[in-house]
Amino acid sequence: MMIREKNIKALNQKFDLLIVGGGVTGAGIALDAASRGLKTALVEKDDFASGTSSRSTKLVHGGLRYLKQLEIGLVSEVGRERAIVHRNAPHLVIPEKMLMPLIKGGTYGKISTALGLTVYDILAGVRKSDRREMLSREKALQTEPLLNPEKLVGAGFYSEYRTDDARLTIELIKAAGRYGAVCLNYMEMTEFIIQDGKLCGGVCQDLLGKEELYIKAKYVVNACGPWVDVLREMNNSLSNKRLHLTKGVHLVIPHEKMPVNHSIYFDVPDDRMIFAIPRGNKTYIGTTDTDYKGSLDRIVSTEADALYLIKSINDTFPDINIHLEDVDTNWAGLRPLIHQEGKTASEISRRDEIFEAEDGLTSIAGGKLSGYRKMAEKTVDLVAKKYHKDSGKKLLGSITENLTLLPDHLKEEDLTSYKTEIKERLQSLGIGKEKVEYLISNYGKQSDMILDLVGKFEGTDSEEKLLRSELRFSVDNESVMNPVDFFDRRTGRLYFDIDSVMKYKNIVIDDLVEYFGWDENQRNEEEDQLEQKIFDVTHFFTNDFV
Ligand code: FAD
């Protein structure tokens, strides 16, 4: 039986906790709750991580910008969290040196940067050997020759972590599943079940099987990111504290057109800062931060968004001269921030906050990907209190601080030897060994399970065989239901290797037809959805959709 059918059957029980929303926040809560022994279900209306959790800058960071806003507590908390998330998944949360150029008239001076980065390192508990270095103008130019020598006065060089937001979310969902959580994508909560004024579950629509299901639970958590207020409206619990959505856009450019050596965090004229991050043979740049009132379900990049980023790049790196046509792909996402009167998009705090409704609904909003684990712990602590009060039973405290994300954990000290092993396997299968970074950072030790499948596929195109093995693996283990799930959230190819999507999309659809038994109509529908997604990430629009 496919995992989905098994999970749908398993919904027919009374849960302790129902989580609505399968982004990183909901997935983190599911793992925390299930690993403490709560009977947990999670429903996601689209794919896991299809909301903001696949559209971020993909950094697990301590939030240097918050230091400027003097949010010391936040810097310190997310800084410590970085180290924990890295320790528990070193293949996926990877140390990355970040260069911060200092320019004449820029946001930060030499002394304030040296001081700021030192405080940042201390607050985040960075190891002495990894602490910030201050670079002279000459050293900075040597490190990053693309910077503008006319404006540069030096640079800070400090430690952050990069990740893949969607992969992190998927691994959290899988880990929660191993602790018994029942997690379903394409399952939309449409109504709350309320008895005697108390919330006791949700009515859900299975968007694939078209069935309506009643999921009963003692407690319900709303982890719907940008949709948090939609749910709060559903049970009339929307109070004066509301979400303030801002849009952030990223552009992906071939690395040869923007050949930065390192991740760079640079000043732009409107007093903001932007990242340029190399990944594989691409460099991605972001982000914008503008108020958003458009559609929650189709978020696109406008030409104005792209031109703002392109101007920022060309101002900082005068020799590269990027144009709109140089952009391969782009993505746009919404920050579910909590409104603060009189503050602009960039000034609003990124803090998370929990809202408790009278009928028992717990909503969590705001926050960062980087702080997902702590947010989950706080939310489940609150549920645990209610559970204790109602049942007299005490729950364990959170155990996620020391919980590795994959059961077959790849320790940091074993990364190099594992890479050598995988390179050898790739070579023996006739696949380019340059795939090693992609495979290990996406799948960790599950790379072996994928390579075990390669021999099942016929043909001479080794790239195709690898891709079909990944597809088989992700259908069997990661709830892939359609080609967009696969190309977008499971593999990131939609953004970072669009050529492979164009080349292999029909083969992927053919395989899915075989795995799921789709008829012609269904096949056409899936094809159309993939084409629309490809269009959205390869074009710029005049306006946002409403
Ligand atoms: P989401 O990921 O949006 O998840 C909510 C889910 O709820 C969605 O998948 C949605 O489909 C589902 N849902 C909604 N309604 C229903 C319903 N009725 N039934 C079932 N499911 C429903 N943070 C960092 O730490 N580092 C960064 O580098 C970073 N960069 C960012 C850059 C940008 C441009 C943006 C926008 C954000 C960035 N963030 C970053 C913040 C981070 O991405 C978010 O805080 C985080 O992803 C929010 O996750 P979430 O689970 O709360 O929301």
Side-chain angles (χ1 to χ4, degrees):
M1 198 184 332
M2 307 268 303
I3 326 175
R4 184 172 185 86
E5 292 163 40
K6 217 171 91 197
N7 278 343
I8 288 183
K9 278 213 164 129
L11 287 177
N12 194 16
Q13 58 177 305
K14 179 152 186 191
F15 290 93
D16 295 318
L17 178 62
L18 169 65
I19 301 154
V20 189
V24 75
T25 309
I29 295 170
L31 176 58
D32 194 293
S35 61
R36 289 197 211 188
L38 285 176
K39 254 199 256 170
T40 303
L42 178 147
V43 290
E44 162 55 54
K45 76 180 171 74
D46 197 287
D47 185 24
F48 302 123
S50 58
T52 305
S53 298
S54 53
R55 327 273 182 92
S56 79
T57 309
K58 309 182 192 301
L59 291 172
V60 174
H61 58 148
L64 190 56
R65 63 190 291 275
Y66 314 130
L67 197 58
K68 197 174 158 194
Q69 296 163 341
L70 294 177
E71 296 216 44
I72 305 290
L74 186 60
V75 180
S76 159
E77 181 174 300
V78 283
R80 266 184 279 114
E81 280 302 302
R82 282 190 319 190
I84 296 172
V85 183
H86 164 65
R87 196 180 61 225
N88 291 335
H91 71 282
L92 184 58
V93 180
I94 301 162
E96 175 82 11
K97 278 285 179 193
M98 187 74 69
L99 188 82
M100 188 161 96
L102 303 173
I103 54 167
K104 287 175 198 157
T107 311
Y108 297 101
K110 265 188 181 169
I111 297 175
S112 60
T113 304
L115 197 72
L117 289 177
T118 303
V119 174
Y120 187 57
D121 279 347
I122 293 171
L123 286 175
V126 173
R127 282 188 296 225
K128 277 216 167 94
S129 55
D130 292 336
R131 287 200 181 157
R132 68 105 178 111
E133 251 181 278
M134 293 305 294
L135 308 185
S136 66
R137 177 180 173 280
E138 289 64 37
K139 187 79 199 291
L141 273 175
Q142 242 174 39
T143 314
E144 200 50 80
L146 287 179
L147 288 167
N148 188 350
E150 311 269 297
K151 289 193 184 162
L152 195 69
V153 293
F157 203 35
Y158 65 103
S159 302
E160 291 283 19
Y161 293 91
R162 69 189 155 89
T163 190
D164 187 283
D165 43 9
R167 289 277 345 151
L168 179 61
T169 307
I170 301 299
E171 293 299 359
L172 286 165
I173 292 280
K174 284 158 66 184
R178 285 193 291 276
Y179 279 96
V182 181
C183 304
L184 277 145
N185 53 2
Y186 299 99
M187 186 64 76
E188 179 172 10
M189 208 211 71
T190 50
E191 231 180 287
F192 288 110
I193 306 174
I194 300 179
Q195 259 174 13
D196 305 326
K198 187 169 170 339
L199 220 128
C200 48
V203 182
C204 292
Q205 186 71 38
D206 175 358
L207 300 176
L208 303 181
K210 312 288 177 208
E211 233 184 302
E212 197 169 65
L213 297 153
Y214 284 69
I215 305 179
K216 296 191 201 98
K218 290 185 194 131
Y219 312 104
V220 181
V221 167
N222 165 10
C224 285
W227 294 262
V228 155
D229 283 355
V230 177
L231 254 74
R232 291 171 76 214
E233 257 168 12
M234 242 187 234
N235 75 335
N236 297 319
S237 68
L238 193 56
S239 60
N240 49 356
K241 281 244 177 189
R242 280 159 198 264
L243 289 192
H244 182 138
L245 301 180
T246 78
K247 185 173 81 166
V249 164
H250 290 83
L251 310 181
V252 182
I253 296 173
H255 187 256
E256 75 248 22
K257 292 217 166 103
M258 190 163 170
V260 287
N261 293 328
H262 294 278
S263 290
I264 306 181
Y265 187 35
F266 58 95
D267 274 288
V268 289
D270 61 351
D271 214 19
R272 297 188 55 248
M273 294 193 72
I274 283 180
F275 291 100
I277 301 173
R279 173 165 159 167
N281 54 9
K282 309 284 176 192
T283 302
Y284 68 97
I285 293 111
T287 170
T288 58
D289 196 357
T290 49
D291 288 336
Y292 186 78
K293 303 262 184 260
S295 156
L296 299 185
D297 293 305
R298 191 169 178 197
I299 308 146
V300 293
S301 306
T302 63
E303 200 168 299
D305 296 325
L307 290 174
Y308 167 87
L309 290 172
I310 287 176
K311 181 174 180 326
S312 308
I313 302 165
N314 290 339
D315 282 350
T316 306
F317 308 96
D319 292 335
I320 56 173
N321 210 7
I322 298 288
H323 300 276
L324 268 185
E325 306 73 63
D326 295 322
V327 179
D328 275 354
T329 53
N330 68 78
W331 70 85
L334 299 180
R335 299 176 185 83
L337 308 176
I338 296 156
H339 183 71
Q340 289 175 293
E341 212 45 55
K343 295 218 171 174
T344 63
S346 306
E347 288 165 352
I348 299 177
S349 167
R350 268 56 178 166
R351 267 176 200 285
D352 57 275
E353 212 169 310
I354 295 177
F355 309 119
E356 286 276 32
E358 267 178 32
D359 61 9
L361 178 68
T362 302
S363 300
I364 175 143
K368 302 284 293 172
L369 178 90
S370 312
Y372 85 83
R373 196 200 64 85
K374 202 72 196 168
M375 283 165 72
E377 183 179 326
K378 275 196 279 192
T379 310
V380 181
D381 279 349
L382 230 144
V383 173
K385 254 193 205 158
K386 295 191 212 176
Y387 181 81
H388 185 209
K389 194 167 154 233
D390 296 342
S391 69
K393 288 188 230 157
K394 237 183 158 154
L395 276 190
L396 289 173
S398 174
I399 60 164
T400 55
E401 183 167 347
N402 295 311
L403 203 74
T404 59
L405 214 51
L406 295 183
D408 199 359
H409 179 62
L410 179 55
K411 288 194 200 129
E412 194 170 14
E413 58 268 32
D414 297 336
L415 261 171
T416 314
S417 60
Y418 188 63
K419 270 186 194 165
T420 312
E421 258 175 59
I422 292 297
K423 267 189 205 163
E424 280 167 12
R425 282 202 74 186
L426 285 169
Q427 265 176 324
S428 72
L429 291 163
I431 304 170
K433 59 179 191 253
E434 72 284 351
K435 282 276 176 248
V436 71
E437 297 292 339
Y438 163 80
L439 268 180
I440 296 182
S441 61
N442 265 4
Y443 303 107
K445 279 198 171 174
Q446 300 165 124
S447 304
D448 276 308
M449 292 167 73
I450 290 166
L451 295 181
D452 286 347
L453 294 168
V454 172
K456 293 197 187 309
F457 298 98
E458 287 174 0
T460 51
D461 181 347
S462 54
E463 164 82 21
E464 177 189 315
K465 291 201 279 187
L466 177 64
L467 183 127
R468 295 179 73 190
S469 307
E470 285 180 77
L471 180 67
R472 181 76 254 187
F473 170 83
S474 59
V475 166
D476 289 346
N477 300 284
E478 303 196 327
S479 307
V480 157
M481 295 294 153
N482 60 52
V484 180
D485 296 349
F486 177 67
F487 284 127
D488 186 342
R489 275 80 58 174
R490 302 306 178 285
T491 65
R493 284 171 188 260
L494 189 68
Y495 307 105
F496 298 104
D497 191 3
I498 186 76
D499 291 346
S500 77
V501 180
M502 302 313 283
K503 188 167 172 194
Y504 297 114
K505 59 185 181 183
N506 292 332
I507 288 169
V508 162
I509 293 174
D510 284 346
D511 277 357
L512 291 175
V513 166
E514 186 194 319
Y515 298 154
F516 296 133
W518 290 339
D519 60 17
E520 202 55 29
N521 277 346
Q522 176 91 33
R523 184 198 170 100
N524 292 342
E525 243 173 62
E526 300 298 346
E527 249 169 9
D528 289 349
Q529 296 222 353
L530 177 62
E531 290 305 330
Q532 192 204 73
K533 192 75 192 178
I534 294 172
F535 187 84
D536 284 1
V537 306
T538 51
H539 287 81
F540 296 111
F541 292 74
T542 316
N543 293 304
D544 291 316
F545 284 86
V546 282

